[in-house]
Structures are given as C-alpha cells and as structure tokens.
C-alpha cells in the first residue's frame, strides 16, 4: 500500500528502532507524546492509564539486568519462529541491554480495576509511537521489560502507583538507523457480504 495521507504515511513508515543517537529527548516533547497517547479511545471513557518516564540510565540498566535472564530462559523454552532465534543470540551478547542504547523509557501503566485497561493502554501506546514517528523520534515496544514487575523493589523504585500494572514499556529516542520494514504475513480476511 502506498502512503495516501499523513496518518497512513506514519502508520506505514513507523519502525521499531533499536539504535539511537545520543541526542536527549526534551521533557516537553515527551509531554506532547503523552498528550497524543491520552487522546486514544478508551472503553467506557475510563482513561485507565498512568505513565512513568525513566531517563535515569542506571535505572534502565537495573531493569535490563533483572529482566534479561528471565527473557533468555523464556526464549529458550519458546517454540521459536519470527525473530526468536535472532533475539536469543542478541540477548546473549556481552553487555546487551533489553533497552539497546535508548536515552529514555516510557512506561504506560493500566489501572487494575478497569476491565479494558490493557486494550486502552495499547491504543494509547500506539498513538504515542505514531506521534513520536511524526516528530522525528523513534520507539520500540520492549515486551521483555514486563518482567520488572516480578521485583517489588524495582516497582517501588520506579514509583509505579498501587493499583496499576505495566502494559506498554516503550523506548524512545532520536533514531540512528532507518530499519527496513520486517515482512508482513498475509492476513486472513473473511468477507461477509
Ligand atoms: C507487544 C510487543 C512486544 C515487543 N517486544 C520487543 C522486545 O522485547 N524487544 C524488541 O527488540 N522488540 C520488541 N517488539 C518489537 C517487534 O519486534 C516489532 O514490532 C516487529 O518486529 C515489527 O517491526 P516494526 O515495529 O518495525 O514494524 C515488540 C513489539 C510488540 C508489539
């Protein structure tokens, strides 16, 4: 599909980026992205999200060091497919961070008592990723970071409020690469006319 307008262009050209320049991301830009995020639709108009922004590299390393062995164990046990083998090789490399060299980590948190929080927060995260792309920034959803919740010390050090859980850990920064689009598989489509 060719880009037809700004939104479709952003959807088609946004890529998960895993290599960032050392240019810092200003706080007001992050606030702008969060504002784009919270304009996502939300079931029952509950808007059940909250955010933690981590710019502290020691904290990002602490999360990565905690999550990495769990990620590696999970990958070894998984059935494979997609990027599994390549990711397993990368995670085993000396000094590998699950956050690559990103200057910033944005956590989208969902409220536990909102029935559709995970869906709402995923829509919010996609808004953030597309808005970031449109402003010349890049993101990557780092599912590997979800294990941080297994460490209550980390949860409290990050200031994750009671009654919220992690839905979308997104790294954010100015890209140092322009990755090719990974191939898409043909979707199953049923037409009922
Ligand atoms: C829920 C979710 C979890 C992901 N977790 C990781 C991850 O831990 N590490 C990583 O490098 N990429 C991760 N990704 C990025 C995917 O690998 C990427 O979206 C996919 O390869 C398609 O590439 P694209 O985003 O450039 O279109 C994740 C994406 C999603 C949606």
């Amino acid at each position: 599909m060719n880009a037809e307008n700004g939104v479709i262009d952003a959807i088609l050209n946004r890529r998960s980026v895993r290599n960032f320049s050392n240019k810092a991301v200003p706080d007001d830009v992050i606030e702008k992205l969060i504002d784009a995020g919270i304009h996502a639709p939300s079931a029952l108009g509950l808007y059940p999200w909250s955010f933690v922004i981590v710019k502290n590299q020691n904290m990002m390393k602490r999360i990565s060091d905690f999550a990495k062995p769990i990620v590696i164990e999970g990958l070894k046990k998984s059935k494979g497919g997609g990027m599994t083998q390549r990711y397993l090789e990368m995670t085993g490399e000396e000094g590998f961070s699950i956050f690559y060299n990103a200057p910033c980590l944005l956590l989208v948190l969902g409220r536990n008592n909102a029935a559709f929080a995970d869906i709402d927060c995923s829509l919010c995260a996609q808004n953030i990723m597309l808005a970031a792309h449109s402003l010349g920034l890049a993101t990557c959803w780092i599912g590997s970071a979800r294990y941080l919740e297994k460490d209550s010390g980390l949860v409290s050090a990050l200031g994750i409020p009671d009654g919220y859980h992690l839905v979308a850990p997104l790294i954010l920064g100015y890209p140092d690469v322009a990755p090719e689009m990974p191939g898409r598989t043909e979707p199953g489509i049923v037409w009922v006319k």
Side-chain angles (χ1 to χ4, degrees):
M1 185 171 39
N2 292 319
E4 289 164 19
N5 65 34
V7 175
I8 292 178
D9 184 68
I11 290 169
L12 296 184
N13 292 308
R14 175 215 56 84
R15 292 276 70 78
S16 291
V17 164
R18 301 176 177 85
N19 195 3
F20 297 88
S21 80
N22 53 17
K23 186 173 164 187
V25 185
D27 291 354
D28 63 318
V29 171
I30 296 174
E31 281 163 6
K32 202 169 181 173
L33 298 181
I34 291 175
D35 189 48
I38 67 169
H39 280 80
S42 165
L44 299 169
L46 290 176
Y47 315 112
W49 36 56
S50 189
F51 304 88
V52 172
I53 316 300
V54 185
K55 285 184 153 183
N56 181 316
Q57 290 296 308
N58 292 331
M59 179 57 81
M60 287 173 67
K61 181 173 180 332
R62 184 172 156 192
I63 301 170
S64 178
D65 288 348
F66 177 78
K68 211 163 45 163
I70 308 173
V71 172
I72 291 172
E73 208 47 45
L75 288 170
K76 282 183 180 159
K77 283 190 192 142
S78 80
K79 291 202 184 85
M83 290 172 63
T84 309
Q85 189 52 36
R86 188 165 129 54
Y87 193 55
L88 187 54
E89 283 160 19
M90 280 161 58
T91 46
E93 283 167 18
E94 179 77 24
F96 174 83
S97 166
I98 63 165
F99 302 124
Y100 307 97
N101 64 342
C104 184
L105 170 67
L106 195 161
L107 305 177
V108 184
L109 310 173
R111 207 168 67 224
N112 298 343
N113 65 4
F116 293 92
D118 287 8
I119 296 171
D120 293 346
C121 289
S122 297
L123 292 167
C124 172
Q126 176 73 334
N127 268 16
I128 290 172
M129 292 191 283
L130 291 173
H133 173 78
S134 76
L135 295 176
L137 288 126
T139 55
C140 184
W141 183 316
I142 302 294
S144 302
R146 72 183 187 274
Y147 299 114
L148 72 83
E149 290 184 307
K150 289 180 182 285
D151 182 340
S152 56
L154 261 178
V155 170
S156 91
L158 284 163
I160 293 178
D162 276 351
Y164 282 81
H165 64 280
L166 176 56
V167 178
L170 307 176
I171 51 172
L172 174 69
Y174 289 92
D176 212 21
V177 286
E180 293 282 304
M181 185 187 79
R184 260 42 184 179
T185 51
E186 279 299 313
I189 302 176
V190 176
W191 295 86
V192 181
K193 292 185 174 175

